[in-house]
Amino acid sequence: MTPVVATAPSPAGAAPEAAPGRRAGARPGRSDRGRRALAGLVFLLPALACFGYFAWWPIGRSVVLALQQTNLVDPARWVGLRNFEVLFADPLLPTAVLNTLWYTVLSLLIGLPAPLVLAVLISELRRFGAPARVLVYLPVIVPPVVSVLLWKIFYDPDSGLINAVLGLVGLGPYPWLQSPAWAMPSLVVEATWAGAGGAVLIYLAALVAVPRELYEAAETDGASIARRVWHVMLPQLRGVILVLLLLQIIGCLQVFTEPYVMTDGGPENATVTVLLMIYRYAFLFGDYGTATALSVLLAVALAVVSALYLRLTRGWSSR
Amino acid sequence: MRSHFRSLSACALVAVLTVAGAGCGQDAETAQGGVTTITVMGMPAATNAKGRKLFQDQVAAFEKANPGIKVVGSDMPWDVKTFAPMLAGGSAPTVLRVPLTEPAGLIERRQVADITKEATALAEYRSLNPDIMSYVTRNGVTYGLPEKAYALGLAYNRALFAKAGLDPDKPPATWDDVRAYAKQIKDKTGAVGFGEITTNNSGGWHLTAYTYSEGGSMIEQAGGRWTAAFNGDAARRVLDRWRAMRWEDDSMGGNVLGKQEDMIAQFAAGKIGMWVTSPSDIYPTYVTNGGKPEDFGAGPMPQGAGSATLVGGTIHMVNAKATPEQRAAAVKWIQYRYLRPNFDTEAAVATAKAAAADGTPVGVPVLPIFDQATADKIYKAIAPHANVPQDHFAAYVASLGSLTFTPEPQVASQEIYAALDPVAQAVLTRRDADPAALLADAETRVNAILGKQQ
């Protein structure tokens, strides 16, 4: 340990010695702390201004707009909670909420284990690990709309790639996007394909950090591959898994691109989501107040989920 | 990564909505030094060099003739997503160029200006086609002027007709014929006999047009209140026919969840026998998508118990935030650039020459925006420059004189279409769909939408 150097205490109320003569680790004076705080604030100011103007101000305005009716030309009229009443009277709202939750559940069932399994498989590869990582990450580079349109062609019931391949083994043709039952799982599969690459890389990075000795010890004790995964790897990855799980929940609750581009909410409203409703209210029907009211409700829901996320991650990371 | 994307998209949406609201009250175009500046949509894209040059030449000539007006062209196409924030931020163009589906909503939301005084002062105003003007007038107030118009009809592939043993010069005129032709095309060629579109409000739009052709209506007004009027025999016949063609004849293909752009691509690729659209409007896009001009056929809107079709078109309207000077300048410009080529032979020939030189279609038969005599005079003048197989449009053109042009629902048309999309989708994607139950459910929804508007 570093020995503590005793020094004579300063007279009560006297200012500390000037910086050159001061020992390392001495507490800074009040004016010094003030200067540092001011400098910090100056450095922070541009970011604060950006956040304030582009994030906090719009969020505040959203709450105001949710209580108004506007055509963006005449002055906005205060309508109290009427926009929320219109929203709750819309029979499509429960459908959209349930669809969004269904998408989230399916995404977790399909989208959560898939990257983990891929990461484990790639990490076990003796050769071709790098090309495998590139291949898995490639779909992330494709612009979301392009990948959605690509999969729309794959899903074509008459001439799509998927039915063509399944037809080779005597299966199908299946209606995919044309069926209210199949449409949502089809969107989830596309989203998983498009987004899994990022999660795979994060899992791979986390896997590298798992100490080799733990695997070797388990192997010495005769643990099978499945047991090594279950008892060694997964507990070591639990922090990363939890973070990705909750980020995925937040992302899924805001799903828009897939249903907007691929199905426009159809068939029979089977893929209408909350964000698609916001879009329709604002840009199709010109009802900006109700659109913003739904945005505010979604923001509140996401805030609750985020609070849960923070609480859970704090608990897990402290173990 | 994608979740980040979605978060950002949602934030951007909220930000756009709110910042848009915050920007109310600004006005980008102002009169300075006695010069009134107007921003006008409709400037051809830079890729269309000759069309753009013609536009710029017309701007120069217009400004020379009107020294107090400065015209700034915009090649930005109409996009409902960008229009709202631009309008709020004061940067929306003065002259809006919109499809005919938009005026009803823009008028309802009071986002466009009353141009009655300026428009009715034009000498040719009284000669404008009243069927088309009904879309841009409300309670005697004029909100827009037409550039071009067309009626819904049947686009069909002449090559597939011939291959199926059908006469390419005799397109079907009734829905019964359409069903029989579609089955024959499917059986003989394997192609989709009759294509249908059901997303992005197109399902509701087509259900409306087909119901009109069966003699029905969509909404009706009684005691000053609008209510749904489609839950009856006419719409029921449409749904029953769709169901029979999809599930009994198997003549509509398995992919019925698309919009007009998807169908144009399929049609241009020769995979669709027939479908209902505005043949004149889609012809240029059909050619751009690689469709063969010689295979393109246009027939009348098929009819059942009715004799009606829907009208489409391109309309020019003026931003509600325009000053009186800008409104006057805007109407002058619309007259100069868009009305003139439809009644002034010299302007018509100049426009046709430039379009033909650029390789874009000239002479596509349209619904005249003026009276028939004026239209005939213009057709004759531009005939030497026509590059479209006009005889392939003969059956469609003949129908324009006999069918009634029925307007779209006057209230909340887009919301009604959105509520009807699932009805069309249900019948075409679910074998056991119950048309009566679907119509009853849609009636409740549409009445709720109409109730909200009143």
Side-chain angles (χ1 to χ4, degrees):
Chain A
M1 282 183 69
T2 312
V4 177
V5 180
T7 54
S10 301
E17 286 178 10
R22 210 173 66 204
R23 65 193 157 78
R27 291 181 63 193
R30 189 172 294 167
S31 62
D32 202 20
R33 282 205 304 272
R35 271 201 302 278
R36 284 188 185 188
L38 188 67
L41 197 64
V42 169
F43 280 116
L44 206 58
L45 213 54
L48 279 177
C50 280
F51 270 107
Y53 190 75
F54 291 110
W56 300 325
W57 169 247
I59 289 169
R61 284 285 305 161
S62 292
V63 177
V64 171
L65 198 57
L67 304 171
Q68 293 180 327
Q69 197 169 45
T70 179
N71 65 351
L72 306 178
V73 178
D74 303 323
R77 278 192 305 119
W78 289 97
V79 293
L81 296 175
R82 188 178 170 277
N83 291 331
F84 291 92
E85 287 168 15
V86 168
L87 200 55
F88 287 122
D90 190 333
L92 203 54
L93 182 64
T95 308
V97 171
L98 287 175
N99 284 346
T100 308
L101 292 174
W102 178 227
Y103 178 89
T104 306
V105 169
L106 283 174
S107 292
L108 297 183
L109 288 176
I110 301 171
L112 194 72
L116 189 57
V117 170
L118 279 171
V120 171
L121 290 177
I122 292 173
S123 71
E124 291 299 321
L125 284 175
R126 301 275 180 234
R127 298 171 64 190
F128 307 117
R133 282 196 294 275
V134 171
L135 278 177
V136 167
Y137 194 73
L138 264 181
V140 181
I141 299 168
V142 179
V145 172
V146 174
S147 66
V148 171
L149 288 174
L150 194 68
W151 275 79
K152 194 176 176 182
I153 296 168
F154 289 171
Y155 281 135
D156 190 296
D158 296 328
S159 55
L161 177 73
I162 297 174
N163 275 349
V165 171
L166 291 175
L168 295 176
V169 290
L171 293 173
Y174 297 104
W176 306 119
L177 300 173
Q178 316 288 319
S179 153
W182 282 96
M184 194 63 97
S186 302
L187 297 192
V188 172
V189 168
E190 184 281 330
T192 304
W193 173 85
V200 169
L201 286 195
I202 294 171
Y203 283 132
L204 279 170
L207 281 170
V208 170
V210 177
R212 278 271 147 210
E213 303 83 55
L214 293 177
Y215 289 118
E216 287 163 8
E219 209 169 344
T220 308
D221 288 346
S224 64
I225 292 176
R227 277 183 168 276
R228 288 204 295 275
V229 169
W230 187 253
H231 291 292
V232 177
M233 194 190 75
L234 286 181
Q236 291 291 315
L237 291 182
R238 68 186 173 202
V240 176
I241 292 171
L242 188 73
V243 169
L244 287 177
L245 168 76
L246 289 162
L247 281 177
Q248 191 163 356
I249 291 172
I250 293 170
C252 288
L253 292 174
Q254 298 177 67
V255 62
F256 175 73
T257 311
E258 285 81 6
Y260 174 65
V261 178
M262 217 183 251
T263 58
D264 188 39
E268 282 192 85
N269 295 325
T271 56
V272 167
T273 61
V274 173
L275 233 63
L276 194 60
M277 270 192 84
I278 294 173
Y279 166 80
R280 285 182 179 175
Y281 266 119
F283 300 119
L284 215 53
F285 310 149
D287 188 348
Y288 311 108
T290 307
T292 319
L294 187 49
S295 300
V296 168
L297 289 181
L298 179 64
V300 169
L302 289 178
V304 170
V305 171
S306 301
L308 195 69
Y309 155 75
L310 285 173
R311 193 179 171 81
L312 283 174
T313 44
R314 196 165 50 230
W316 275 64
S317 60
S318 64
R319 286 186 190 181
Chain B
M1 296 300 115
R2 294 289 294 274
S3 63
H4 259 307
F5 236 117
R6 294 194 190 102
S7 310
L8 285 171
S9 307
C11 286
L13 182 70
V14 173
V16 162
L17 282 171
T18 47
V19 170
C24 283
Q26 296 171 15
D27 194 352
E29 289 120 27
T30 50
Q32 286 178 339
V35 174
T36 301
T37 302
I38 55 170
T39 310
V40 302
M41 288 172 71
M43 180 168 74
T47 47
N48 179 2
K50 291 194 172 85
R52 196 170 173 115
K53 174 151 191 328
L54 174 68
F55 177 92
Q56 284 161 345
D57 290 346
Q58 286 184 335
V59 167
F62 177 78
E63 287 179 343
K64 195 175 172 189
N66 300 276
I69 301 173
K70 179 171 169 51
V71 175
V72 179
S74 164
D75 59 4
M76 181 190 72
W78 170 256
D79 182 351
V80 71
K81 294 189 289 298
T82 52
F83 172 67
M86 286 178 76
L87 183 68
S91 57
T94 319
V95 176
L96 312 171
R97 183 174 185 259
V98 300
L100 199 57
T101 46
E102 299 298 320
L106 291 168
I107 294 168
E108 266 173 43
R109 295 192 290 275
R110 303 188 306 281
Q111 292 176 326
V112 285
D114 172 357
I115 54 168
T116 312
K117 195 179 119 195
E118 295 82 2
T120 51
L122 300 175
E124 61 272 25
Y125 182 80
R126 288 181 200 289
S127 308
L128 285 165
N129 186 334
D131 287 326
I132 298 158
M133 289 306 290
S134 68
Y135 285 81
V136 292
T137 51
R138 190 69 61 89
N139 302 322
V141 176
T142 302
Y143 292 95
L145 290 165
E147 173 187 332
K148 59 185 175 185
Y150 30 80
L152 280 190
L154 191 78
Y156 65 97
N157 185 307
R158 294 172 61 89
L160 283 177
F161 261 50
K163 201 172 166 189
L166 296 164
D167 183 350
D169 291 326
K170 286 187 181 160
T174 67
W175 282 114
D176 288 341
D177 287 346
V178 167
R179 184 177 170 186
Y181 280 40
K183 188 163 185 338
Q184 194 166 332
I185 292 169
K186 169 70 183 171
D187 291 346
K188 296 277 177 64
T189 70
V192 172
F194 182 77
E196 194 49 270
I197 48 178
T198 61
T199 64
N200 296 72
N201 293 6
S202 60
W205 179 49
H206 271 196
L207 179 55
T208 300
Y210 296 6
T211 302
Y212 289 165
S213 73
E214 287 285 358
S217 57
M218 299 309 287
I219 59 173
E220 61 190 6
Q221 198 175 26
R225 291 189 68 79
W226 289 97
T227 52
F230 56 79
N231 188 7
D233 289 344
R236 178 68 191 267
R237 279 195 292 275
V238 175
L239 299 188
D240 285 343
R241 188 182 309 106
W242 264 340
R243 196 177 56 162
M245 291 175 75
R246 172 73 180 91
W247 302 109
E248 291 172 23
D249 301 350
D250 190 25
S251 61
M252 298 180 73
N255 191 358
V256 290
L257 205 65
K259 53 184 187 291
Q260 176 143 300
E261 291 79 0
D262 305 323
M263 187 62 77
I264 292 176
Q266 294 282 307
F267 184 59
K271 294 180 178 174
I272 307 289
M274 303 174 281
W275 65 297
V276 168
T277 182
S278 305
S280 315
D281 186 39
I282 63 137
Y283 181 78
T285 319
Y286 166 84
V287 175
T288 312
N289 272 265
K292 295 177 184 166
E294 65 271 21
D295 288 349
F296 190 93
M301 175 74 191
Q303 299 298 313
S307 178
T309 186
L310 265 180
V311 178
T314 303
I315 297 293
H316 292 264
M317 308 184 92
V318 179
N319 185 337
K321 291 187 170 182
T323 63
E325 293 77 20
Q326 287 177 319
R327 281 205 304 271
V331 171
K332 268 190 181 176
W333 167 254
I334 297 167
Q335 181 206 26
Y336 180 82
R337 161 99 173 147
Y338 300 105
L339 298 184
R340 215 169 46 109
N342 288 290
F343 69 84
D344 178 339
T345 48
E346 195 182 318
V349 169
T351 308
K353 257 187 185 172
D358 197 37
T360 49
V362 174
V364 180
V366 291
L367 196 60
I369 62 170
F370 285 104
D371 53 53
Q372 196 57 50
T374 310
D376 290 343
K377 182 184 71 176
I378 296 298
Y379 274 136
K380 197 176 166 193
I382 64 169
H385 307 286
N387 55 12
V388 168
Q390 288 176 317
D391 50 331
H392 292 185
F393 287 80
Y396 170 69
V397 172
S399 75
L400 298 180
S402 60
L403 296 177
T404 305
F405 301 116
T406 314
E408 298 189 57
Q410 287 175 285
V411 184
S413 57
Q414 295 303 315
E415 287 176 87
I416 292 173
Y417 292 161
L420 292 174
D421 266 5
V423 175
Q425 291 166 0
V427 173
L428 296 174
T429 61
R430 210 157 35 84
R431 191 186 285 270
D432 61 352
D434 177 0
L438 289 167
L439 284 176
D441 182 51
E443 182 183 35
T444 308
R445 289 181 186 233
V446 169
N447 277 332
I449 292 166
L450 293 171
K452 197 179 73 179
Q453 302 280 330
Q454 297 170 87

